[in-house]
Each structure stands twice: as C-alpha cells, then as structure tokens.
Amino acid sequence: MSRKRVVIAGLGDVGLLAAIRLAPHADVVGISVKPGLVSGQELGIRLSRPDDWARDYWIPFDRFRRLDPVRTIQGELTGVDLAAREVVCRGQDGATFTERYDALVISTGVSNGFWRQPTLQSAADVGANLYAAHEQLATARSVIVVGGGAAAVSAAVNMASTWPHKQVDLYFPGERPLGEYHPRIWNRIHRRLQQLGVGLHAGHRAVVTDHFTGDEITNEPVRWSSGQTPAVADAVLWAIGRVRPNTAWLPKELLDERGFVQVTPELWVPSHPEVFAVGDVAATDPLRSSARNRGDALVARNIRARFEGRPLRAFRAPTRRWGSLLGIQPDGLEVFFPTGHAFRFPLWSVEHVVMPLIVRWGMYRGVRENRPFG
C-alpha cells in the first residue's frame, strides 16, 4: 500500500511538532512562509535579549533531524480545493503551485503584533525585524506596555530586568492582568514587577480604532477611553491581544464568525474528515488551547487513526492557562501549573537538562547544532 500524503499548512510551533510526529508514518509536506521555525513564544525575551531568543526559537528547518524526510516548501497559502484535495500556494518567485493531500492539517496560527505576521520572509528579513524592534526599545529611556495578557506581562518583566535604569510602565484594562491564569500566578508576578520598579496602572483601557492592530512600536501619547490623562513614553509596545486568524485562504464554510477554523472535539473539520486544524487557528475552546496542550500529538495520532480505520480521541481543554510566563531568567525557568503553583528549574538544569534533553531531544526528537540560516 502506498504511503498517505499529509500536508501541514503552517510550520510554526504546533505545525512543526505535528510534522515531526507524522514523518515516520506518512509522506509529509510542510508549507511555511518562513525559512525555519520563527516561534511566537517568549515575546519578552525576543525584545530584550534577541540573541538568547534566536538560539531557542529561531531555528532553520534543516536542523531538525526528524524533518529530514519532510519536504518543506516556503510559500504563501492562497486557497484550497476541498473536492480535489489540493492546497494552492504562491512561491517566493510569485509562481502559483498546488500540493495534493490525503489529509490536511491547518496550523497557520494567528497574526498578533509585529512579532507574529503571516508574510513571506527571508532569513535576512526575520533578523532585520528582530533586531530593529530590540534596538528601538533599547534606546528608549521610557517604555509603556499596553495590555493585560501574558505577552504584555512578559515584555514588562524582561525589559525591566534587562534595562534596570529604564522606566517601564504596564497599563491594563482590568483590576489585574493575566485574567486567564490562576490568581496565585498574578500574585507571584506582581511581586516581581514591584521589585523591578515597573509602574502598574490598572483600569486603563486604551483608545484604539477598530482597524488598529498594534503591528508596530509607536511613540505618540496613549489616550484612555476610561478617562485618565494620556500617557507618554519614548516607546509604546502594544500587546492588546488583537489576534487575527490566518485563514484568508480558506473558504468561509470552514470558519466560525470570528474567522477561526471550526473543529470537532477530535480536531477534524465538520463535513471534511480528511481536514484537521490545531493550534491558535482552531476554535477548540475560548482559549484555543490546543496550541499549548499537546494538540500536535493528538492531531498526529488522530490522522493515523483515520488512515487505519481506528477510533479518534477527543481533545480536552484545560480551564486555565499554564506554563512558562517569563521565559528563561538568570535564576532559571519558572513553570506555573493550572493550580497557580510554580516549579523553578535552576539555571544549570535549564542549560544542561531542560533545553538539550527535554526540549531538543524529547520534543523535537533531535536538533543539530551550529547550522545557521543560509
């Protein structure tokens, strides 16, 4: 029997892991607008310590050992023919081509700020954007962070840690940030922010237009619909969570009212059992938590089960977000659980156990060293 072909539409954090899991069992084709993994994780470290971030989150595809049998294509998805089971793409040269599939995994993610955009980029483009944002913030004497989610909090903590003499202020609309996390987590992060001297401003809702996306760092005064005096800083980082699903290439029949891909609990698209969706683009639950809770493993397992005529398993979403919030710090890596409790890996264990063994070998099944872009 010939091997089935699986097309992974989007090779970000989740799509990459799904491709790695499926590679031994099918002919896998991965399509990405980037020339490697450009993770959407750890915004704070990306902005304040870009070299550290690039080491762990900006990795050429040919460094992943389990991607060796996967055919990776850099291109922009422009459409899908569900009847013919083909996706339509535009390459870097502007030429259009199609890829046939027996199963399709939609993992194109979301756009969010300047750090998560579905644009075709070379390695040079990615690097230029990475260091331009860092330089803009590094040279600012004062920074305002607008937003109450994990990205905003991480950015405030990491910038204040990296540049202790810089004035950093965090403005958020509610009584506290991190509303999707257990209150214990905010209590712990709150103490950290206070120790770092970050100004905390609750109840501030920024005036933004319907079309404002926060896709660039600005320096104009920030005005508040909640009535406070406008706030001014040399640089304003917008982390307001205006995510837009990268689904313009898909027919509207597959999408919910917000543009996310509708899925069953087993992560397949209703009326199209050969089409699956996973990650931030999939409307699994209000937190779209298949992006962070082993959704890649489930979608790979269910595709194999579909091919073999076995029952599929359902995704069970957690009620709260959890995981690392601040990334690797000088004193190690703190991981939060849904209960609000935390466990800290000391720095030596992060450098010698967590990253090389748990992440590079356990998650990615082997990552080659010293193989830069180009």
Side-chain angles (χ1 to χ4, degrees), residues 49 180 200 254:
R49 293 181 277 134
E180 296 168 343
L200 300 174
L254 303 189

Coordinates of all heavy atoms in Angstrom, one line a residue, residues 49 180 200 254:
R49 N 16.4 40.4 24.8 CA 17.6 39.6 24.6 C 17.5 38.7 23.3 O 17.3 37.5 23.4 CB 17.8 38.6 25.8 CG 18.1 39.4 27.1 CD 18.3 38.4 28.3 NE 17.1 38.0 28.9 CZ 16.8 36.7 29.2 NH1 17.6 35.7 28.9 NH2 15.6 36.4 29.7
E180 N -6.7 35.0 32.6 CA -6.9 33.6 32.2 C -6.1 32.7 33.0 O -6.1 31.5 32.7 CB -6.6 33.5 30.7 CG -7.6 34.3 29.8 CD -7.2 34.4 28.4 OE1 -6.0 34.1 28.1 OE2 -8.0 34.7 27.5
L200 N 2.6 50.0 37.6 CA 1.4 49.2 37.3 C 0.2 50.1 37.4 O -0.1 50.8 38.4 CB 1.3 48.1 38.3 CG 2.4 47.1 38.4 CD1 2.3 46.1 39.5 CD2 2.6 46.4 37.1
L254 N -15.7 26.8 6.3 CA -14.9 26.1 7.4 C -14.7 26.9 8.6 O -14.2 26.4 9.6 CB -13.5 25.8 6.8 CG -13.4 24.9 5.5 CD1 -12.0 24.6 5.3 CD2 -14.3 23.7 5.6

